Amino acid sequence: MSSFGPDSVPLWHPDMNPGMAGYDGTVVVETPAERLCFSGASAALVLAVARRADGTRAMPQLALEAACSEAAVRSHLAFLREAGVVLDLRDYRSGWPTEQALEKLRAAARFHNLRVAANPVLQQLFSGQASREVFLGFAIEFYFYVRAATTYMAQGIARFDHDAATMAPYWRHFAEEAKHHELFEEGLSATGVAAARLRPICAIATTTALINFLFERASRTLVEYGSLFAVMQPPDNAAPGARVETYERLRRCYPFAQKIVDALERHDAIDLGAGHRSWALEQHLRRSPRVSADDMGRAYVTMRDAACFFIMFFDGIRDSYQIGTLAQWKQLANVAVDAALP
Amino acid sequence: MDLQARPAIRHVDRVSISGKSLVLEADGCAYEITGVDPAVAFRFLSGCDGRSSTEEICRREGVALDLAAVVIAACGESGLLCPDLPARATIPAGLFRDILRRRYAAWNVEMFSQPLWRFLPAGKASSGLVDGWLLESYHFIRGAAARLSYATSLCHDERVMPYFLDHHLEEYNHHEFFEEALRRRKVAFAQTTPLPSTEAIINFARMAARRGPLHYMACSGLLESSGSDAARAVEFYNALTVSYDGEGSGFVEPLLEHVLLDAAYGHGSICERILGHFDRIEATVANDVIDTAAGFKDTLVYWFRDLYRVYTGAGARAFGPASREHYRASGRGFA
């Protein structure tokens, strides 16, 4: 990874703000993997820099406003970047040799995956603390999202006319995903969700927004299409035991939705077995010695925006499905009724 | 009671269970159902879509036939329900236009009762919220080409296409009114990125254009139905001047100019003008068009809520080139 320089534009992860711990002035930054503790001058620096490293200030301005030396800020940020807390936005405004570019894109993918992972609704769902309504709502909306592969992935692979070697991983990926929604149909039906409720028009506004976003970005460039999967198929770094434990916890906490959890687990296992977490985009980019500044920017913006739309997706589920059982009803238009009852 | 009859309830705008009664609001009337378990009554009525027989609904929803008979009789008498809906392959275009008008009226009430629209004219919005609303409106209007030109390019119905084309030609540069308003409020907009929910509105309109010309027309009609009352718009903008323009920047003037220009173009009557070329509409198409427009309304409601949430209180970071990096940040998300 290149070092932070004068034209670096650091971005502190907005879901990993530092906090004070105890009474000795220790400052703590919590990441999903570890707890980073800072004391003394480092604690003050971390507090001052975190607030200002919002992706708009270059290094000299950041150091000046934080009243710290540039060298001190640089060394702390380098450490925090290794821990996934900080990203340098400058990295995505220049072209790089391919391997270096891929390393920077993987860092952005991890960063924005954690934006989604920090969403309180997602955390509530997977910790087993969501209400019955919210979990069922999640299952219904997740079904619409999985089913949408037949629109945005179909569009993505139809849109681009690169050589077969470049496109083959994308073709295979779509072929393997195209009917995954059927796994969920079975689970939802067993939980009592009527088939009529699963018509795509019944998706809530935020799910539709996510699906439309995926379609639009799949229509632009192959780099953008490929970058979507950086957030949708997060890199596999969970131990197999942890995955088993997750689904067992979901079965314990949502006993009414056993078949839905089965479907989630099968879907996950199929994706894992098919290697969908390895990134087709990497194979594509490796075919050139360098990734251009334009492609770095496109890939970064797509990952960032995909995270935004997934956050919107999860927040929308909480907003729409906490009103009670009535939320399960979606009345569709029938003009014959309007004609009969003027 | 005819078990093979296919009962259907009106389009319901809101439904709630209040104590021991079920309340359904439809076409401006509130229908209260009492004397039966409201949850069971709701289960039965939610199955009354005119496509299933009474017997099928009772079996599927686990509702006793005698209870169904009581609900059908009471709701049929009050006009909430048609006890046996005749199938229809088509409806007259004029009726379709009237249905859309009725839906728009109810949807506008829902959309403009959101906090954003209560705070703005009441003078209770922060300066940041006014700026944010202007900025997101600018981004939305700037997307006219992405919506209208796209709809024009996809439209193969000669009865509709000229309207989309004219609408585009009349709208494509209207972002300039908002640019001027933003300049007068000293809001730097050139480097800004719209909220994801603003992008969602544009994307939804594009999706509607892909579904069909009448789908896009109905979404466009909803947008224009809210802005076509020039007198109300003038009143709204005058209230903004009083509450948010103490410095006399005149930021409202270009916005007023925009409203009056749209009114002169007659954009508020786009559905009437297009449907005037149709005799009858296929019922399946009409249903899909209405459901699409309803989805557009839901997306607009979400936009208004998101805009209010992001630009109120701790929304200072929402401005500037890194606004999406901070979208709905949870703070210490992993503590």
Side-chain angles (χ1 to χ4, degrees):
Chain A
M1 205 56 95
S2 53
S3 58
F4 283 93
D7 52 348
S8 288
V9 182
L11 171 68
W12 195 285
H13 200 291
D15 301 302
M16 295 187 210
N17 290 337
M20 301 293 286
Y23 299 102
D24 63 351
T26 301
V27 165
V28 170
V29 177
E30 303 266 7
T31 79
E34 56 191 332
R35 193 163 198 255
L36 307 170
C37 297
F38 301 87
S39 57
S42 283
L45 182 147
V46 162
L47 283 177
V49 168
R51 239 174 339 123
R52 294 172 176 87
D54 61 359
T56 64
R57 292 169 173 83
M59 191 63 93
Q61 190 192 355
L62 180 61
L64 186 70
E65 288 185 22
C68 302
S69 75
E70 257 189 71
V73 173
R74 208 176 295 149
S75 66
H76 280 78
L77 289 180
F79 167 74
L80 286 157
R81 178 160 64 183
E82 287 304 310
V85 178
V86 171
L87 214 55
D88 184 355
L89 295 187
R90 177 202 58 168
D91 286 348
Y92 308 98
R93 294 168 190 165
S94 321
W96 302 93
T98 301
E99 285 309 317
Q100 239 179 310
L102 287 174
E103 198 184 338
K104 292 172 190 303
L105 292 175
R106 279 190 222 109
R110 283 193 297 274
F111 188 92
H112 289 292
N113 262 302
L114 289 181
R115 290 279 289 116
V116 182
N119 179 264
V121 184
L122 184 143
Q123 291 191 350
Q124 191 189 42
L125 281 162
F126 282 85
S127 65
Q129 291 169 335
S131 65
R132 179 191 171 93
E133 286 81 3
V134 169
F135 189 80
L136 281 178
F138 160 70
I140 292 171
E141 301 304 323
F142 192 74
Y143 164 80
F144 290 130
Y145 155 64
V146 172
R147 182 171 170 165
T150 56
T151 53
Y152 74 84
M153 287 183 83
Q155 165 76 354
I157 64 163
R159 178 88 176 81
F160 308 110
D161 189 25
H162 295 267
D163 57 84
T166 301
M167 293 307 298
Y170 292 104
W171 295 339
R172 184 173 57 84
H173 189 182
F174 174 53
E176 287 163 351
E177 291 279 356
K179 296 203 168 183
H180 272 198
H181 62 278
E182 291 173 1
L183 298 172
F184 292 94
E185 269 168 7
E186 209 177 301
L188 287 162
S189 164
T191 315
V193 178
R197 181 65 181 78
L198 298 179
R199 279 174 285 183
I201 197 82
C202 295
I204 59 174
T206 40
T207 304
T208 305
L210 170 64
I211 293 167
N212 285 339
F213 163 80
L214 295 172
F215 183 91
E216 294 292 349
R217 297 301 168 97
S219 312
R220 289 186 179 177
T221 62
L222 189 57
V223 166
E224 282 155 296
Y225 175 61
S227 301
L228 290 172
F229 299 100
V231 175
M232 285 192 286
Q233 305 274 359
D236 181 45
N237 49 11
R243 195 171 297 110
V244 171
E245 197 185 311
T246 299
Y247 292 109
E248 280 176 1
R249 182 174 58 248
L250 296 183
R251 282 192 190 89
R252 269 197 317 277
C253 297
Y254 307 115
F256 54 87
Q258 300 289 318
K259 297 272 185 188
I260 291 172
V261 179
D262 289 349
L264 285 168
E265 190 173 20
R266 275 185 67 199
H267 175 64
D268 199 11
I270 293 171
D271 274 1
L272 197 64
H276 290 172
R277 283 171 169 81
S278 69
W279 208 4
L281 181 65
E282 292 198 6
Q283 297 172 46
H284 168 205
L285 294 178
R286 278 209 175 91
R287 296 165 71 82
S288 308
R290 213 175 152 76
V291 178
S292 69
D294 282 347
D295 278 346
M296 289 298 286
R298 287 187 189 108
Y300 172 78
V301 163
T302 305
M303 287 187 257
R304 176 198 70 187
D305 293 352
C308 290
F309 278 88
F310 273 100
I311 290 168
M312 191 194 277
F313 169 77
F314 284 109
D315 283 353
I317 290 166
R318 177 200 51 207
D319 295 348
S320 296
Y321 286 95
Q322 270 190 348
I323 321 161
T325 52
L326 304 189
Q328 296 294 333
W329 184 45
K330 172 90 181 183
Q331 187 183 24
L332 295 181
N334 188 348
V335 290
V337 182
D338 296 271
L341 298 172
Chain B
M1 176 177 67
D2 177 0
L3 291 178
Q4 296 315 308
R6 294 171 187 278
I9 55 166
R10 277 181 188 279
H11 175 77
V12 173
D13 295 312
R14 263 170 295 281
V15 56
S16 58
I17 290 177
S18 168
K20 290 186 174 176
S21 58
L22 174 68
V23 181
L24 299 114
E25 292 172 45
D27 286 327
C29 298
Y31 300 86
E32 189 174 5
I33 298 165
T34 55
V36 291
D37 181 338
V40 179
F42 174 70
R43 276 216 312 276
F44 177 73
L45 286 173
S46 65
C48 293
D49 60 1
R51 296 177 180 103
S52 306
S53 70
T54 303
E55 190 177 28
E56 285 165 345
I57 300 166
C58 288
R59 194 173 53 240
R60 195 174 61 224
E61 303 296 338
V63 176
L65 288 173
D66 55 347
L67 188 140
V70 170
V71 173
I72 288 174
C75 295
E77 204 172 304
S78 67
L80 174 64
L81 176 144
C82 173
D84 191 11
L85 187 72
R88 274 177 177 269
T90 63
I91 60 165
L95 173 62
F96 180 55
R97 180 201 60 213
D98 293 344
I99 296 169
L100 281 176
R101 266 196 207 138
R102 285 209 302 270
R103 295 287 204 280
Y104 289 165
W107 293 343
N108 275 312
V109 170
E110 183 184 348
M111 291 194 297
F112 293 101
S113 62
Q114 297 303 314
L116 173 72
W117 296 108
R118 285 189 275 120
F119 275 58
L120 278 175
K124 291 179 179 172
S126 64
S127 173
L129 180 58
V130 177
D131 290 345
W133 162 69
L134 258 181
L135 184 66
E136 298 304 328
S137 302
Y138 156 72
H139 281 297
F140 169 68
I141 298 288
R142 201 175 64 96
R147 295 179 284 116
L148 282 159
S149 176
Y150 186 66
T152 306
S153 76
L154 291 175
C155 183
H156 300 293
D157 189 326
E158 287 301 319
R159 293 169 293 184
V160 183
M161 196 279 279
Y163 290 95
F164 290 169
L165 177 60
D166 285 349
H167 200 164
H168 171 67
L169 297 176
E170 290 159 0
E171 285 276 356
Y172 76 94
N173 57 354
H174 283 192
H175 63 282
E176 291 168 4
F177 292 113
F178 287 82
E179 282 182 353
E180 182 55 24
L182 285 163
R183 257 185 234 111
R184 291 186 187 195
R185 280 187 70 85
K186 299 186 173 58
V187 176
F189 54 86
Q191 298 297 314
T192 58
T193 309
L195 278 176
S197 53
T198 307
E199 187 178 332
I201 297 292
I202 295 167
N203 287 347
F204 193 106
R206 286 166 60 84
M207 185 265 281
R210 291 192 294 275
R211 289 182 82 90
L214 295 183
H215 298 69
Y216 185 83
M217 171 209 74
C219 294
S220 186
L222 174 62
L223 282 177
E224 301 296 344
S225 73
S226 60
S228 61
D229 186 341
R232 277 186 66 188
V234 169
E235 190 186 329
F236 169 74
Y237 283 126
N238 285 340
L240 295 191
T241 301
V242 171
S243 300
Y244 309 110
D245 198 17
E247 292 178 0
S249 72
F251 80 92
V252 158
E253 286 163 19
L255 304 176
L256 268 171
E257 209 181 320
H258 176 228
V259 163
L260 296 174
L261 184 59
D262 274 2
Y265 282 137
H267 288 173
S269 60
I270 186 156
C271 291
E272 282 76 3
R273 287 183 288 143
I274 288 176
L275 290 172
H277 294 278
F278 288 76
D279 179 27
R280 300 188 73 82
I281 310 284
E282 275 182 41
T284 50
V285 172
N287 289 335
D288 200 44
V289 167
I290 294 170
D291 287 331
T292 302
F296 192 53
K297 177 266 297 177
D298 288 342
T299 310
L300 286 165
V301 168
Y302 181 81
W303 185 38
F304 298 150
R305 287 182 184 161
D306 196 41
L307 209 156
Y308 177 78
R309 180 168 151 168
V310 169
Y311 290 104
T312 300
R317 274 181 165 175
F319 283 96
S323 60
R324 287 203 177 182
E325 274 76 359
H326 298 274
Y327 182 66
R328 295 200 168 199
S330 60
R332 295 185 67 196
F334 299 97

